[in-house]
Amino acid sequence: MGLVAALVRSSFLVNAVYAQAGREHGLTPQQGQLLCVLMAQPYGMGELCTMLGLAKSSLTGLVDRTENNGLVRREPDPRDSRAVRVALTSRGARLADRFYTEACRRIEQLPAALDETERDTLAGLLGSVVLDNKVPVVFMEPDQGTAAHG
């Protein structure tokens, strides 16, 4: 299998696992992404548009739906009185933690046929691709919990 096919098919594989974990927690894949991003800290709408790759109208709808489910709240931005930040509610934080833990567990199992050295090599290579392309931090390192993101 060539590089392009391998990367595209692996992204489909991860997205499918992510979507399945989301469904089991009553979340759409987009809501799961939003909750995972917000685990680190509240973000402004503009920052979230950039991180999630969404148009403003799409993000507004996503935040509205997630807010209606009691998982996020809008709060004033302390640096700009005209802006709002989106933050997890306590219910949203608990659900985000459960979803995140389950998604990590499932994704960790995907390369189960690889030995430890191969897994480390794969992580290093993919990490280089992600960093070289300046992909926003939209998912924390599993071993860092909710304290920081990688």
Side-chain angles (χ1 to χ4, degrees):
M1 182 180 310
L3 177 63
V4 172
L7 284 171
V8 170
R9 290 176 70 179
S10 66
S11 75
F12 273 80
L13 177 62
V14 170
N15 286 338
V17 169
Y18 201 78
Q20 182 182 17
R23 278 191 301 277
E24 292 175 8
H25 289 86
L27 298 169
T28 66
Q30 295 78 17
Q31 287 173 325
Q33 289 175 339
L34 178 63
L35 295 184
C36 285
V37 166
L38 295 174
M39 287 175 75
Q41 67 182 44
Y43 285 102
M45 295 290 280
E47 293 170 301
L48 289 171
C49 283
T50 300
M51 293 175 84
L52 297 173
L54 295 174
K56 187 176 180 185
S57 61
S58 297
L59 178 65
T60 298
L62 173 61
V63 170
D64 287 346
R65 290 186 299 278
T66 310
E67 185 175 38
N68 289 339
N69 290 336
L71 303 175
V72 300
R73 69 179 180 280
R74 287 176 169 93
E75 58 186 31
D77 186 325
R79 297 170 305 208
D80 183 350
S81 61
R82 299 165 296 161
V84 297
R85 295 186 319 172
V86 180
L88 292 173
T89 62
S90 57
R91 179 173 170 238
R94 288 189 304 273
L95 181 58
D97 186 58
R98 288 193 309 270
F99 167 74
Y100 171 81
T101 299
E102 182 60 18
C104 287
R105 184 189 67 76
R106 291 176 186 210
I107 293 168
E108 180 73 23
Q109 293 174 349
L110 294 177
L114 302 179
D115 66 32
E116 186 175 347
T117 300
E118 292 169 324
R119 290 167 72 94
D120 289 345
T121 299
L122 178 62
L125 293 170
L126 290 173
S128 291
V129 171
V130 166
L131 292 174
D132 289 348
N133 286 279
K134 298 174 178 54
V135 176
V137 178
V138 294
F139 203 81
M140 298 180 307
E141 290 287 340
D143 58 353
Q144 291 182 338
T146 58
H149 52 305

